[in-house]
Amino acid sequence: MSTPKSNGTDKRRWSDMSEAPETPNAKKKRLERFVADQQLLASQSIPTPHTPRVINTVRLPDSLRKKILVTGGAGFVGSHLVDKLMSAGHEVVVLDNFFTGRKANVEHWLHHPNFSLMMHDVTQSILLEVDQIYHLACPASPPHYQYNPVKTIKTSTMGTINMLGLAKRVKARILLASTSEIYGDPTVHPQPESYWGNVNTIGPRACYDEGKRVAETMMYAYKNQNDVSVRIARIFNTFGPRMHPNDGRVVSNFIIQSLQNKDITIYGDGSQTRSFQYVDDLVDGLVKLMEGDYDSPVNIGNPDEYSIKDFATMIRDMCGSKSEIKFLPAVADDPTQRKADIRTAKRELDWEPKVSVDEGLVKTIDYFQGEVDAAGEIVPTGPDAAKPKGSFTTG
């Protein structure tokens, strides 16, 4: 029998096997580097294209560190809330079905030992052990929540029942992200928490408005019957980085259209008014509400009021755009005015917005410039029901 001839590969293999073993000193240094890397990863976020800045985290003792659930935590507002909770040293669990949420919004935390991400729909029950629940899950822009109105209602009702059941079981405090939309097309201006609203229960926006109204009702039913600790934030128009480029809201549409020198579309004559708050201010308000003792509904918004026409002109000028403003037919049930009365937040939470609209828009325009550069072109979403680009759909 002939002997197989050896080749260079065999020689290299035998050479590798005969290399000297790692010395104790080298092994010690390698382990020290590994430990140092792990400690670094546990002390900050990792810069990503979507969130390039580093967010440092503190290390809390077990007695102070909370385990906090954020439903809808991969969404626009939820991801900013996650940043604040993580930086404070808490353990955060994000639940999201990624209908409007995006993994890119939280990918800078995926390595961190205090962070967990679960793809889950809140209309299905779940068993977890947590200390606090921020219940933000629900599409919030009209084109998105009108795309599947039955699912929107399920999210606000069944989803809230499931989260309240969890809060009851584990004795966690729960905060509901409600909305200024519960005031409908208001006849009282600005809108205080005592105002009951002027709503259309069968209109195109009712799936969202009425879903949030019944969610508030359920919160207080569980509080009164089961002694669940509840908080309700009525959130007014909010803007900032990580807004979904195709959410169809005026801020994102106006900026995207201006950056691309496309016509800025206004539905109606532009006289309708809104008040806009920067997302960092909202997050601060949510945390103050959760940590405080006040358990009645609280408006969280910026009382600075703009007509939609003036706001479009302001954004166009800030973008240095050549866009023309184009007026299209008004949208059904679009509120004619919206302005937050924040006296309760000032009195009970010592909260009021700190970031001016101008300052917030500079940061938001910079974010959307990056989105447009990455995509090449973004076609804004109109007022009609539309599925978010790149989303998952569940029944």
Side-chain angles (χ1 to χ4, degrees):
M1 180 180 296
S2 61
T3 303
K5 295 181 178 180
S6 64
N7 54 40
T9 302
D10 294 328
K11 291 179 180 178
R12 285 194 300 272
R13 185 182 299 121
W14 285 107
S15 175
D16 291 342
M17 291 175 64
S18 62
E19 285 180 359
E22 185 178 34
T23 66
N25 189 49
K27 182 176 182 181
K28 180 181 178 182
K29 288 183 177 180
R30 179 170 57 83
L31 291 175
E32 287 174 347
R33 286 196 302 270
F34 175 79
V35 170
D37 289 345
Q38 294 303 307
Q39 289 175 340
L40 179 64
L41 291 173
S43 68
Q44 65 175 54
S45 66
I46 293 296
T48 66
H50 212 61
T51 308
R53 66 189 178 98
V54 170
I55 305 172
N56 294 315
T57 62
V58 301
R59 186 172 182 177
L60 291 177
D62 291 345
S63 59
L64 297 178
R65 188 174 62 252
K66 298 184 180 76
K67 188 171 185 178
I68 302 174
L69 173 64
V70 182
T71 71
F76 159 47
V77 173
S79 63
H80 285 278
L81 175 61
V82 168
D83 287 350
K84 187 172 182 70
L85 297 174
M86 287 292 296
S87 66
H90 298 295
E91 186 175 347
V92 178
V93 179
V94 165
L95 238 60
D96 208 296
N97 70 349
F98 296 104
F99 179 64
T100 58
R102 298 195 289 175
K103 190 176 181 180
N105 288 341
V106 293
E107 66 178 345
H108 53 292
W109 292 118
L110 292 178
H111 70 283
H112 201 287
N114 283 357
F115 180 80
S116 301
L117 175 62
M118 302 177 67
M119 185 174 177
H120 183 85
D121 195 307
V122 293
T123 61
Q124 305 296 319
S125 61
I126 190 168
L127 297 178
L128 294 170
E129 296 295 328
V130 295
D131 302 304
Q132 293 179 345
I133 302 169
Y134 286 87
H135 181 35
L136 278 61
C138 190
S141 76
H144 293 169
Y145 65 63
Q146 292 175 31
Y147 173 75
N148 188 342
V150 172
K151 181 58 186 291
T152 299
I153 296 169
K154 284 182 177 180
T155 301
S156 289
T157 53
M158 295 169 61
T160 303
I161 285 177
N162 286 333
M163 290 303 107
L164 281 165
L166 174 60
K168 174 187 172 184
R169 183 180 67 83
V170 300
K171 295 181 171 54
R173 176 173 293 177
I174 178 171
L175 182 149
L176 171 69
S178 188
T179 171
S180 62
E181 294 297 315
I182 65 135
Y183 299 125
D185 188 5
T187 57
V188 173
H189 194 73
Q191 295 80 55
E193 292 87 352
S194 58
Y195 179 53
W196 289 359
N198 175 42
V199 299
N200 177 5
T201 61
I202 59 173
R205 303 167 76 100
C207 60
Y208 182 67
D209 303 358
E210 298 304 303
K212 290 294 188 179
R213 287 165 72 94
V214 74
E216 288 194 10
T217 301
M218 289 190 293
M219 291 282 284
Y220 287 105
Y222 268 78
K223 173 184 180 291
N224 296 329
Q225 183 172 330
N226 302 114
D227 200 29
V228 174
S229 180
V230 302
R231 302 289 185 268
I232 291 180
R234 291 177 179 167
I235 300 172
F236 283 68
N237 292 68
T238 306
F239 70 96
R242 301 183 194 154
M243 293 183 77
H244 198 295
N246 299 108
D247 67 7
R249 303 189 214 200
V250 293
V251 175
S252 49
N253 275 7
F254 289 173
I255 293 176
I256 288 170
Q257 289 166 333
S258 295
L259 291 175
Q260 299 177 107
N261 292 309
K262 296 181 177 181
D263 286 343
I264 297 175
T265 50
I266 293 178
Y267 298 92
D269 62 8
S271 64
Q272 63 269 43
T273 68
R274 297 292 185 271
S275 59
F276 299 94
Q277 70 179 330
Y278 189 63
V279 65
D280 287 356
D281 284 330
L282 169 59
V283 167
D284 288 345
L286 294 178
V287 173
K288 282 195 169 188
L289 179 58
M290 175 66 91
E291 298 298 335
D293 297 326
Y294 191 73
D295 63 1
S296 292
V298 179
N299 290 338
I300 306 291
N302 189 329
D304 290 347
E305 186 178 14
Y306 298 83
S307 73
I308 295 300
K309 181 180 179 181
D310 288 346
F311 197 64
T313 302
M314 177 181 177
I315 288 177
R316 181 187 63 184
D317 292 347
M318 291 183 71
C319 291
S321 174
K322 300 176 182 178
S323 297
E324 298 290 334
I325 295 177
K326 184 177 181 181
F327 296 92
L328 300 176
V331 177
D333 289 351
D334 189 32
T336 56
Q337 55 186 358
R338 180 81 80 235
K339 179 179 178 178
D341 182 333
I342 62 170
R343 287 176 294 177
T344 299
K346 287 182 177 180
R347 183 185 69 248
E348 300 294 341
L349 308 181
D350 190 28
W351 176 90
E352 60 182 323
K354 297 177 181 177
V355 181
S356 69
V357 172
D358 284 4
E359 182 184 349
L361 282 175
V362 169
K363 298 177 182 179
T364 308
I365 290 169
D366 182 64
Y367 158 75
F368 275 114
Q369 184 66 70
E371 292 287 298
V372 171
D373 291 344
E377 181 186 18
I378 297 177
V379 179
T381 300
D384 298 329
K387 179 182 177 182
K389 299 292 190 298
S391 71
F392 296 94
T393 302
T394 54

